[in-house]
Amino acid sequence: MARWRNGTGTLTFADPEGERETEIPLRIAASYRHRSRGLLGQDGVEGALLITPCGSVHSFRMRFTIDVAYLDRKLNVVAVHTMKPGRLGLPRLRARHVIEAEAGAMARWGLRPGVRVGIAQGDGPTGVRPQDLPCAGPGG
């Protein structure tokens, strides 16, 4: 099973046409302290933030609108939503990870439901790939 650690990494996925691979700088929040802090108190984010494990998010005390992508155990995008500050997102039953970015970023990147992403942690050459994660079994 993959061990997530707080730190940096790279989010990768193929664009909708499958012509090129997109790489996005990523911050990883895996501990309780880092997950609960998230993007609170920040004026923006460069790249994206992975919160893991996580099935739902809120934007209380946020200073800017965010895009939220919910990922299942195999790192498939389940849903993408835009949240204004002061909102509570509905829990996604199949979601195990969440990616947050500034509003409009995911549309520019082409990140949408059905896309499978890869995540490489910054402190290792191999990182975490979808095939390294445990099988989710039937239904996600």
Side-chain angles (χ1 to χ4, degrees):
M1 180 159 93
R3 293 263 179 183
W4 298 95
R5 293 179 305 280
N6 297 326
T8 60
T10 304
L11 174 71
T12 59
F13 57 94
D15 67 357
E17 293 80 32
E19 295 175 3
R20 65 179 173 87
E21 185 136 315
T22 302
E23 292 188 359
I24 308 297
L26 185 70
R27 280 190 12 228
I28 300 171
S31 69
Y32 176 79
R33 182 172 150 238
H34 284 89
R35 288 191 327 258
S36 59
R37 173 82 183 179
L39 296 174
L40 296 176
Q42 297 184 25
D43 293 321
V45 59
E46 183 176 326
L49 171 69
L50 171 72
I51 304 173
T52 182
C54 183
S56 67
V57 295
H58 67 82
S59 59
F60 300 123
R61 298 187 353 234
M62 295 283 291
R63 297 180 181 170
F64 57 99
T65 303
I66 59 172
D67 282 346
V68 180
Y70 297 88
L71 308 178
D72 66 10
R73 292 176 192 213
K74 294 183 178 182
L75 301 180
N76 294 308
V77 178
V78 176
V80 177
H81 293 281
T82 301
M83 292 180 65
K84 294 181 181 179
R87 302 290 198 267
L88 178 63
L90 294 174
R92 305 290 173 199
L93 297 179
R94 291 179 38 218
R96 297 295 179 265
H97 318 282
V98 169
I99 297 174
E100 296 181 348
E102 288 189 17
M106 293 186 190
R108 283 192 311 274
W109 300 336
L111 193 63
R112 56 178 168 61
V115 171
R116 187 171 192 164
V117 302
I119 298 169
Q121 290 197 267
D123 49 22
T126 58
V128 178
R129 300 168 301 170
Q131 57 268 32
D132 294 336
L133 295 173
C135 261

